[in-house]
Amino acid sequence: MNIRNCSVLTVLFIGLFFIQTVNVQGQSGQWQPANGPLMSQWADEVSPQNALPEYPRPMMEREHWQNLNGLWDFKITGKDTDHGEYNQQILVPYPVESALSGIGETVGADNRVWYRRTFQVENPYENGRVLLHFGASDWETDAWVNGEYIGKHQGGYDPFTFDITDQLTNGEQEIEITVWDPTDLGSQPVGKQTHDPRSIWYTAVTGIWQTVWLEYVPESYIQDLKITPDIDNNRVKVEVEGKHLSEGHQLRIEALKEGEVAGVAEGNPEQDFLIQLDDPELWSPDNPYLYDLEVKLIAENGEVVDEVSSYFGMRKIEIARAEDGHMRLFLNNEPLFQLGPLDQGWWPDGLYTAPTDEALKYDIEATKKLGYNMLRKHVKVEPQRFYYWADKLGILVWQDMPSGDMRPEPIPERTKESAKQFKKEYKRMIDAFYNHPSIVMWVPFNEGWGQFQTEEIVNWTQKLDPTRLVNNASGWTDHGVGDVIDMHEYPGPDMPETEDSRAAVLGEFGGQALVVKDHLWIQDFSRAPSHYETSQSESKLHDTYDQMIEELYKLKDKGLSAAVYTQTTDVESEVNGLMTYDREIIKFDVAHMQEIHKSLIEE
């Protein structure tokens, strides 16, 4: 099938000076959000001129880049048909079904979406490359530049890149994208999206939902970094992946503390670099200290041909036996009780996409303000900037892999194609977010949703990343492997039996619901999910929560190492959040929450 028969994308390859120039079709036209049941407090700040304008990859930052967010031409067609004429405009990077996209329409598995825009660029490098980056697009993305097909990507949560240098021409450039997403009618990782939103299942997300951007690099450049802290030996290991390098290239890597050089390593790009630090300052939720990292690629003549800025945190996560005899979670060689909310990462106006960077940051700030030291990112992967803020503000993250191929028990064997796709997207997630000190645990499976080959997946995860903990399955379907044994109990709390080789954690509990009028996605909550309890007043909610924390004290004494409360915010038909879905109302007394959580964590 030929799903496309016309052309388009072009980039002006001129000059020695970088000029960020945007010429988007219809950029000066009228845009407004689509009608939606509820908007967040940041929605009014969104416009075609400032749609998530921040640098999207703080872990490896360059000077020369261009943001392609904004208005794009748009069209929905049948899955197997060409797009024809564009008849709408969409605000990228908000997903099609969201209000902030300006579209707000259901796409479905039988349709596909099309995007197109034009722009001008000037490359500052005489013989440099132009890279087209996508933060994420759900799920199957095909792309053309100036009418030439540049590739396909299958995956809804991982960043991907096309080198479009050879497709560029003089003058105006055109990029065209088409995306198809079967949502939960397919077998790919999909998380809590569904074609039939209800109960604990939410609105589908289709198409581009993270920043699209251009990056300008020299012919020989730094492609990726892998940063591994080693607090026991006062050093950090840096591995550098380069592109188009020669034998004459060298690397110089500097770790900086408060702007001063704290350690240096130099050598051939093929080697691992060990940077020794004098009495390093450790990263923790109470002290989220980050070192800066400068990486320079140097030619044989001594010229710096490429450089990137990064950062790292010196921290260590493990399980070990505490003085009380129980296996516990240890941070930086000290036991630390981890307490935090189940974090869905959904927004009433942007769905998968936070309306602004301040909104993305706010959820972490609110979690910290309530006295938590951890969050479990639930069957969703966030943009790089979320983990940047987690690193910078200081919150521990348990990172779920989005579930997929979710069939009723007994779960049949996945097809080879489905298993291969899950592993491919799971590995990409680990690789993409490996450097973030905030992430301390990988969770491949939730409650048996699409669970398969558990022992194999856990062993594979530990080989991919031996520096973090692995939770083989959060709730219900433990297979006796990994670093923790995890149970879910609603309303709870409760705990699994302690073991000699794994730490006992409570992966979900609570779910206490409170309806807050005028801050609702839907109005009728008479049929709330049966495993959540609805409080009729704030005082009832607060009393119930306090009783749960009192029970956690007792469970902690018996060996419980962590607990995850459901959940950060209300989401669509769920009203069991610490905050309302629009983030306008925190349902709890902040000072009181800080006090009771601090006591539980520290005692």
Side-chain angles (χ1 to χ4, degrees):
M1 177 195 66
N2 181 11
I3 60 173
R4 182 188 183 286
N5 57 22
C6 59
S7 62
V8 244
L9 183 108
T10 312
V11 180
L12 184 59
F13 212 98
I14 302 178
L16 300 174
F17 302 97
F18 171 67
I19 304 174
Q20 183 167 313
T21 306
V22 180
N23 178 21
V24 184
Q25 293 173 341
Q27 188 79 306
S28 60
Q30 296 298 312
W31 168 88
Q32 62 181 11
N35 291 328
L38 186 69
M39 303 296 279
S40 77
Q41 56 185 297
W42 296 274
D44 289 342
E45 301 173 21
V46 177
S47 74
Q49 288 72 41
N50 71 337
L52 296 174
E54 295 81 12
Y55 191 87
R57 192 190 57 197
M59 187 55 76
M60 201 176 90
E61 189 167 351
R62 277 192 176 88
E63 178 183 0
H64 301 305
W65 72 290
Q66 182 175 338
N67 196 317
L68 296 183
N69 293 343
L71 285 178
W72 292 50
D73 294 332
F74 181 76
K75 176 76 175 179
I76 301 176
T77 70
K79 176 178 180 290
D80 298 332
T81 59
D82 202 354
H83 61 73
E85 293 299 319
Y86 286 93
N87 58 1
Q88 294 176 286
Q89 288 189 319
I90 187 170
L91 185 57
V92 170
Y94 303 101
V96 179
E97 294 84 353
S98 72
L100 289 179
S101 72
I103 304 296
E105 298 179 19
T106 299
V107 178
D110 293 333
N111 295 317
R112 65 171 56 249
V113 295
W114 294 83
Y115 301 79
R116 180 183 68 185
R117 67 161 285 168
T118 60
F119 54 93
Q120 302 273 0
V121 298
E122 294 187 0
N123 189 354
Y125 299 102
E126 184 176 355
N127 296 306
R129 315 297 298 179
V130 179
L131 308 179
L132 174 62
H133 296 291
F134 293 81
S137 177
D138 194 10
W139 173 75
E140 180 181 88
T141 304
D142 292 89
W144 293 260
V145 170
N146 292 327
E148 185 173 343
Y149 183 68
I150 58 172
K152 179 192 297 290
H153 179 82
Q154 291 181 326
Y157 301 93
D158 55 301
F160 58 100
T161 300
F162 298 113
D163 184 331
I164 62 172
T165 311
D166 295 340
Q167 286 74 41
L168 303 180
T169 63
N170 290 328
E172 189 174 64
Q173 313 295 319
E174 185 177 70
I175 178 172
E176 194 166 30
I177 306 294
T178 186
V179 185
W180 171 71
D181 181 17
T183 311
D184 57 339
L185 298 180
S187 61
Q188 82 289 352
V190 69
K192 298 189 79 171
Q193 302 177 62
T194 178
H195 69 287
D196 179 24
R198 67 203 182 282
S199 182
I200 64 170
W201 309 103
Y202 313 144
T203 302
V205 169
T206 302
I208 297 168
W209 67 275
Q210 291 186 29
T211 293
V212 185
W213 54 296
L214 293 177
E215 186 176 31
Y216 303 95
V217 298
E219 178 67 22
S220 300
Y221 64 94
I222 299 162
Q223 187 174 38
D224 201 6
L225 304 176
K226 186 175 183 179
I227 305 169
T228 307
D230 180 0
I231 72 168
D232 294 330
N233 292 296
N234 294 341
R235 65 188 184 188
V236 59
K237 181 170 75 171
V238 182
E239 301 166 71
V240 181
E241 182 179 348
K243 196 77 171 176
H244 307 136
L245 303 188
S246 67
E247 292 183 1
H249 282 115
Q250 294 287 300
L251 283 166
R252 177 179 173 85
I253 305 176
E254 296 179 347
L256 304 174
K257 183 177 183 180
E258 308 299 332
E260 300 294 328
V261 176
V264 178
E266 295 179 298
N268 188 290
E270 295 181 358
Q271 72 184 60
D272 294 343
F273 295 85
L274 297 175
I275 301 177
Q276 206 69 34
L277 301 170
D278 184 22
D279 191 22
E281 188 158 358
L282 303 185
W283 184 97
S284 72
D286 289 335
N287 180 43
Y289 188 83
L290 298 173
Y291 287 82
D292 291 320
L293 193 71
E294 298 292 336
V295 183
K296 296 180 180 180
L297 179 64
I298 302 171
E300 195 169 1
N301 63 2
E303 177 188 1
V304 175
V305 294
D306 189 27
E307 55 186 307
V308 297
S309 298
S310 186
Y311 67 87
F312 63 93
M314 293 295 290
R315 71 101 184 89
K316 175 185 177 183
I317 187 72
E318 63 179 336
I319 56 167
R321 195 171 302 280
E323 292 182 357
D324 63 4
H326 294 296
M327 295 298 291
R328 296 197 178 274
L329 306 180
F330 275 57
L331 181 71
N332 300 334
N333 297 322
E334 297 289 339
L336 177 67
F337 190 84
Q338 297 185 21
L339 178 68
L342 190 72
D343 194 297
Q344 309 281 2
W346 285 74
W347 299 84
D349 39 21
L351 300 179
Y352 256 17
T353 309
T356 69
D357 192 58
E358 281 299 314
L360 192 69
K361 177 183 176 183
Y362 177 81
D363 276 5
I364 300 173
E365 291 177 319
T367 301
K368 290 274 291 185
K369 186 164 65 173
L370 287 165
Y372 297 107
N373 63 358
M374 171 266 282
L375 62 86
R376 177 182 166 207
K377 180 53 64 176
H378 191 38
V379 293
K380 184 200 176 190
V381 182
E382 293 287 358
Q384 291 273 2
R385 290 195 66 87
F386 178 88
Y387 303 100
Y388 163 74
W389 286 121
D391 296 340
K392 193 171 181 63
L393 297 174
I395 196 84
L396 302 171
V397 177
W398 296 10
Q399 179 61 54
D400 287 12
M401 175 62 190
S403 305
D405 218 354
M406 295 178 283
R407 292 167 288 191
E409 294 187 16
I411 299 171
E413 189 70 21
R414 281 185 185 238
T415 65
K416 289 183 179 180
E417 293 76 14
S418 173
K420 181 179 180 181
Q421 186 63 34
F422 178 92
K423 292 176 182 178
K424 183 184 296 184
E425 293 193 42
Y426 182 46
K427 182 180 184 300
R428 288 175 185 162
M429 177 186 75
I430 293 173
D431 290 344
F433 301 101
Y434 176 91
N435 293 340
H436 292 279
S438 56
I439 300 176
V440 294
M441 186 183 297
W442 301 117
V443 187
F445 301 113
N446 174 73
E447 294 185 349
W449 298 355
Q451 189 172 348
F452 74 108
Q453 299 175 1
T454 305
E455 296 87 346
E456 176 187 328
I457 296 293
V458 168
N459 292 336
W460 183 51
T461 304
Q462 291 171 330
K463 290 178 181 177
L464 287 173
D465 184 2
T467 72
R468 288 182 174 86
L469 305 179
V470 182
N471 183 341
N472 83 115
S474 188
W476 299 4
T477 50
D478 180 72
H479 281 237
V481 293
D483 297 296
V484 301
I485 177 171
D486 181 322
M487 77 176 296
H488 294 177
E489 183 66 26
Y490 287 102
D494 202 346
M495 66 177 287
E497 293 292 328
T498 57
E499 296 182 352
D500 289 333
S501 60
R502 297 190 298 171
V505 304
L506 177 59
E508 292 181 28
F509 80 103
Q512 298 301 294
L514 178 69
V515 173
V516 181
K517 188 180 178 181
D518 300 326
H519 299 274
L520 301 173
W521 176 268
I522 61 174
Q523 300 304 313
D524 182 11
F525 282 91
S526 60
R527 300 179 63 186
S530 60
H531 52 292
Y532 299 147
E533 292 186 350
T534 301
S535 298
Q536 300 305 314
S537 67
E538 284 190 15
S539 60
K540 174 70 183 318
L541 175 68
H542 297 169
D543 289 346
T544 302
Y545 187 86
D546 285 358
Q547 292 168 14
M548 289 180 170
I549 296 299
E550 287 296 325
E551 288 300 313
L552 284 180
Y553 275 100
K554 301 173 185 177
L555 296 174
K556 180 181 176 182
D557 290 341
K558 295 179 180 179
L560 184 68
S561 293
V564 179
Y565 179 81
T566 302
Q567 58 191 358
T568 305
T569 72
D570 297 346
V571 184
E572 298 196 359
S573 62
E574 293 184 308
V575 289
N576 53 341
L578 298 162
M579 297 183 284
T580 54
Y581 197 14
D582 56 9
R583 279 73 166 174
E584 288 279 358
I585 305 295
I586 296 178
K587 301 179 185 180
F588 292 82
D589 180 272
V590 172
H592 176 68
M593 294 283 272
Q594 286 179 349
E595 181 181 356
I596 62 174
H597 292 159
K598 182 178 181 181
S599 298
L600 178 61
I601 290 169
E602 294 183 356
E603 288 184 4

